[in-house]
Amino acid sequence: MQARSDGRDLIPVTVLTGFLGSGKTTLLARLVKHPDLTDMAIIINEFGEVGLDHLLVTKGDENMVLLESGCLCCTISNSLGETLGDLHFRRARREVPPFRRVLVETTGLADPAPILHTLMTDYLVTAHFIFDGIVVTVDGTLGDAQLDEHEEAVKQAALADRIIITKVDIAERGKISELRRRIAALNPSAAILKSRQGDLDPRKILDIGPLNPAQKSLDVARWLREETLAGQDHEHSHAMHRHDAHHHDARINSFCLYLDDAATWRGYAAWLEAIRSMRGADLLRVKGLLAIEDSARPYVIQGVQHAFSPPVRLPEWPSADHRSRLIFITRDLERTEIELMLRLLGDPAAVWRKPVDRAQHGGAV
C-alpha cells in the first residue's frame, strides 16, 4: 500500500453544493468579493446558471473569465479532472493569475460523490491539488421538506464537512431549531453554521481538511471533530426518524470507531477491497487516523463510497491517544457490520470469528 506525502505543497479544493434554491449562488457571490479570497479559482458548471454577471470583468476564452474581485472563474470543460489539470498548467505558465485555492460549485441536483472521487483518485488532480472539504447549503425555509422528498438533499448533507443553514432571516425560529437538530442527527461530525443573505466568514468554510495551507500544518483533531461524535447518542438521534418512511435520512448511520491494535498494510488492503466490493455504494464517507504496525507515525485516510485517497503520513500523532479512529457515514449499513469487517485490518482470518464483546472492550473494536 503506497502512502502519500503530507501534501503541504498541494492546492486545496473545496466543493460547494446544496439543493436547488438553497442559496449556493448567493453565498458564492459574497465569497468572491471577500478581500481574503482574491487569489481563488472558481469552477462552475455554466456561467449562465450562476448569478455572477455583475462581477465579470474580462473574458479570457470560452470557458474562463476574470472577476472584478481578482478571482479566476471557469466552467467545467470536458471533465473536472481535465479542467483542474488545465488550470494547473496555465498557472504554471503564468497564463492566468496565480491562485492558492480552488472552489468547485455543483448544480443543485448533483450527487457530490463523483466529484469527490475525482479529487481523491485522479492522478492528474492529486499530483497538484488536495481535497479540502465539502460545504453544503440547506434552505432554512424549505430544508426539512427537501430532506423528506429528495434523497439527493440527504446525501449532500450526509457527505458534508460544513453545513450552512441559509435564509435564517426569513425562516421561523422554531423551524430552524428543528432543522438543525435533524441535520446534527444525520451528520454529527459536520459543523453547522447559519447565514443571512450569503453573509458568512469564509474562514469557517475554507481550510477545513486536515491540511491548513496558510500555516503549512496538519490539524487532524480539528478535521475529525471526533469529540462531537463521542458525545452523540447515535441510536437515539436516528430513532426520531425511523418511524416515518418519508424520511430518507432514516437510512443514514453516523458513528466513530476506535481500534486498540495497530493495523497492517496487508490488512488495510484486504479490508479496503472487501468493503468496496461488497458495500462501497453504501459507504458514503469515511475519514480518520490509522495506526500501522512498525510505524511510529499515523496515517490519514479518507474515502467516499468506492473511492479512497492514498493514505497521508503525518509527522506525529495529534494527541497522546495512539489508537486508530475512523468516522463513518453510511447508508443502510449498520455499525456491527463495519465492526466485523474491520477485523480484516489486523488479521484477515478474524473476520469469521465471533464479534468482540464491546462492553468488555470499552467500545473499541
Side-chain angles (χ1 to χ4, degrees):
M1 179 67 62
Q2 184 176 3
R4 286 180 52 175
S5 66
D6 61 17
R8 300 186 195 192
D9 295 325
L10 302 177
I11 298 172
V13 181
T14 303
V15 177
L16 174 63
T17 189
F19 201 71
L20 296 169
S22 61
K24 295 187 306 300
T25 300
T26 301
L27 176 64
L28 180 57
R30 294 292 293 266
L31 287 176
V32 298
K33 291 190 289 186
H34 196 282
D36 293 341
L37 300 182
T38 57
D39 54 0
M40 179 172 67
I42 304 158
I43 298 177
I44 57 180
N45 286 281
E46 295 290 344
F47 288 128
E49 294 181 2
V50 178
L52 298 178
D53 292 344
H54 63 294
L55 297 174
L56 305 185
V57 176
T58 59
K59 191 173 180 66
D61 55 34
E62 63 181 9
N63 77 322
M64 189 171 294
V65 297
L66 183 66
L67 305 185
E68 64 181 13
S69 64
C71 294
L72 178 69
C73 186
C74 65
T75 59
I76 295 177
S77 51
N78 294 321
S79 71
L80 177 60
E82 291 180 5
T83 301
L84 282 167
D86 181 56
L87 266 178
H88 166 71
F89 288 118
R90 291 193 184 198
R91 177 179 181 264
R93 294 194 297 263
R94 299 184 179 181
E95 296 175 1
V96 299
F99 56 87
R100 290 191 306 112
R101 70 176 74 251
V102 176
L103 186 144
V104 178
E105 189 203 27
T106 77
T107 62
L109 291 174
D111 179 351
I115 295 174
L116 271 58
H117 290 183
T118 297
L119 295 177
M120 293 193 298
T121 63
D122 188 325
Y123 176 73
L124 292 177
V125 175
T126 59
H128 309 292
F129 300 90
I130 186 169
F131 169 55
D132 181 52
I134 179 168
V135 177
V136 173
T137 53
V138 177
D139 191 318
T141 60
L142 302 174
D144 198 54
Q146 290 171 345
L147 289 171
D148 285 347
E149 298 168 10
H150 301 281
E151 193 166 358
E152 299 94 336
V154 174
K155 190 171 183 181
Q156 290 168 355
L159 286 167
D161 296 287
R162 296 287 185 274
I163 298 174
I164 304 170
I165 300 178
T166 62
K167 307 178 185 179
V168 296
D169 51 325
I170 60 175
E172 298 177 11
R173 182 173 299 180
K175 181 175 290 188
I176 291 291
S177 298
E178 177 56 31
L179 180 61
R180 183 184 178 92
R181 284 192 293 269
R182 181 173 180 179
I183 293 172
L186 173 66
N187 185 349
S189 67
I192 302 174
L193 310 170
K194 297 179 182 179
S195 173
R196 295 173 175 82
Q197 300 179 349
D199 187 22
L200 190 73
D201 184 348
R203 290 174 297 183
K204 295 181 178 180
I205 61 171
L206 300 173
D207 302 335
I208 55 181
L211 173 68
N212 185 332
Q215 300 178 7
K216 298 294 183 181
S217 63
L218 289 146
D219 189 355
V220 179
R222 169 187 55 83
W223 175 61
L224 289 180
R225 287 175 55 84
E226 63 194 61
E227 69 281 357
T228 301
L229 278 171
Q232 190 77 274
D233 184 349
H234 170 76
E235 293 300 327
H236 174 70
S237 64
H238 282 278
M240 293 189 300
H241 303 301
R242 290 193 184 278
H243 69 282
D244 189 344
H246 295 292
H247 284 290
H248 295 287
D249 41 334
R251 303 172 60 193
I252 306 298
N253 286 296
S254 311
F255 46 88
C256 180
L257 296 179
Y258 289 81
L259 288 77
D260 288 330
D261 299 323
T264 64
W265 282 127
R266 180 179 179 180
Y268 177 69
W271 172 75
L272 203 57
E273 178 61 26
I275 200 166
R276 287 195 299 197
S277 62
M278 290 189 286
R279 300 303 303 269
D282 298 318
L283 198 68
L284 298 183
R285 188 85 188 268
V286 180
K287 60 181 181 178
L289 280 183
L290 190 64
I292 294 292
E293 286 185 355
D294 303 322
S295 175
R297 296 158 58 183
Y299 290 81
V300 170
I301 66 167
Q302 61 174 322
V304 175
Q305 294 185 314
H306 299 89
F308 275 70
S309 58
V312 176
R313 191 180 187 187
L314 296 183
E316 60 185 6
W317 283 90
S319 70
D321 187 350
H322 289 190
R323 293 178 297 168
S324 297
R325 64 215 66 172
L326 302 175
I327 292 176
F328 291 86
I329 306 288
T330 66
R331 178 181 55 199
D332 298 328
L333 182 56
E334 297 295 331
R335 179 185 190 122
T336 53
E337 188 171 349
I338 294 291
E339 290 174 340
L340 185 65
M341 297 185 74
L342 278 174
R343 288 182 183 76
L344 284 166
L345 289 177
D347 179 3
V351 74
W352 305 113
R353 297 176 190 160
K354 184 178 178 181
V356 173
D357 183 348
R358 295 181 58 80
Q360 297 179 7
H361 289 78
V365 177

